[in-house]
Amino acid sequence: MSQHSTQTSVLLIYTGGTIGMIQNPETGALENFNFDQLLQHVPEIKQFNLDIFSYTFNPPIDSSDMNPTFWAELTGIIYSNYERYDGFVILHGTDTMAFTASALSFMLEGLMKPVILTGSQLPIGALRTDGKENLLTAIEIAAAKNPDGTPIVPEVCVFFHEKLMRGNRTTKISAENFDAFESNNYPLLAHSGIEIQYHRHFIRPYEPDAELIPHYRMDSDIMIFSLFPGIQPGIVKQLLQSPDLKGIIFRTFGSGNAPRFPWLTEALTEATKAGKIIINITQCSTGSVKMHLYETGRQLLEVGIISGNDSTVEAALTKLMYLLGKSLDPETIRSEMKRSIAGEISV
Ligand code: ASP
């Protein structure tokens, strides 16, 4: 979009999503349009005193089609352009944005530049679109620097509807509202009103000597499994005994509780003994797993289930994919799951 110079530069990566869609007049369905068409709707972008370049997925995708191969592609794009740009903005569909943000926070080890994901609930060409505001503010945040030239937000974030959130703490909470994302267990990194107010205390500190190490391998031989009253032994046992299964994000009740059925305890014990990693994540949207609180949680601790504490499902899932992708032994993975790798869990 402009010639490279010494001024702050941002790489805009367009993956797809509603932000860049247009309604097909015949079917009424939303379909992708290309990046140049998208930018025509935001002439304001030229008012930034920035060098803005773009990279576009060909073809752009609905984020329901997002997968670890695309995450590896994004990791590669950021790694190979890391020295050239001061910040990165990823335009992404909202449906799986929290998964991508979480995955990238692990895959981009040592990241010390802003990677800001954003999108919108209404296409950028729609009259009442939220896309313009989200895109323009995300660019501003990606370019924001301290007086000493270091980036204000050197981490993977989601910016959506006035809120800057740590990427691996976000969850999509609304299929309808402009305020569609929440960071339930970690404070906002910034709030955008008349000014962008950064909450510096919660932003990952800049480390001048950190080196970006890209990780491309994610192992997705895992499952998310949610408890409910009336759950049947045959189905659960079959899942837990599945030979390909390496790990489970186990969504439990309240503070990490499960029914005390002997068949369930037995099946979970066998699975952990066989080396499968089971991570306890609460079905509640706020708060954390505390397995020692009730007998119904304590039994899970005893069979070797690991507490995901206050992690989101998205963060626990992608962290497990990342650790399994490194081919570590089960004990190392279990202890890594308990520690914070990229600020995804309170310890
Ligand atoms: N289905 C769209 C997507 O995730 C929804 C959106 O972007 O809001 O790509």
Side-chain angles (χ1 to χ4, degrees), residues 315-327:
L317 182 92
T318 53
K319 185 177 179 181
L320 189 53
M321 284 183 182
Y322 161 75
L323 293 170
L324 286 166
K326 291 173 101 177
S327 307

Side-chain angles (χ1 to χ4, degrees), residues 16-19 21 32 61-65 92-97 119-122 160 172:
T18 294
I19 192 162
M21 289 181 179
N32 283 305
I61 58 163
D62 185 295
S63 80
S64 297
D65 291 328
H92 195 290
T94 58
D95 292 347
T96 62
M97 192 188 295
S120 65
Q121 293 282 58
L122 278 177
F160 215 90
K172 183 174 178 183

Side-chain angles (χ1 to χ4, degrees), residues 240-258:
L240 288 172
Q241 284 165 4
S242 159
D244 291 339
L245 186 76
K246 296 180 187 147
I248 292 178
I249 304 304
F250 187 34
R251 303 211 63 191
T252 55
F253 303 131
S255 51
N257 307 313

